[in-house]
Amino acid sequence: PGSDRGGGGGGEIRMTFEVDAQWAGGVIGKAGSNVAAIRRESGARITVRESNAAGGKVRAVQIDGTERQCHDARHLVQSAVTKQGGGPVGRFRIDRDSNGRGG
């Protein structure tokens, strides 16, 4: 049975959390292949970028989409980290906006 990836109700949210830099490459994948797969599977938009936090030893992950899409994408990121032997990803923060646009 197919999943409802387009729904979840309500507007869009932005979820942000951090991943240890040593696991970021596995999350991103060769030429962005893993991030592309996470986008396809979850329906969310995901960005992984360098962070100044913890002396550059972490990467900031930003996920935009419905609440369900964001949680699905975070689960897929966690799976990518776990496959490499990593532990739990950082605590996440959610920003909500009634019209789904930041600001």
Side-chain angles (χ1 to χ4, degrees), residues 1-74:
S3 300
D4 175 21
R5 299 292 185 194
E12 290 196 348
I13 65 168
R14 172 168 290 165
M15 178 184 285
T16 54
F17 56 94
E18 293 176 341
V19 171
D20 193 304
Q22 67 180 325
W23 313 124
V27 171
I28 296 166
K30 187 173 183 176
S33 60
N34 290 351
V35 166
I38 291 170
R39 287 180 183 137
R40 273 193 313 276
E41 290 184 44
S42 68
R45 296 174 305 282
I46 179 171
T47 307
V48 181
R49 55 185 91 177
E50 291 188 25
S51 172
N52 293 329
K57 295 182 180 176
V58 297
R59 298 294 179 260
V61 179
Q62 176 181 304
I63 304 172
D64 293 288
T66 65
E67 191 162 352
R68 177 168 180 160
Q69 289 171 334
C70 289
H71 283 285
D72 286 351
R74 184 176 186 272

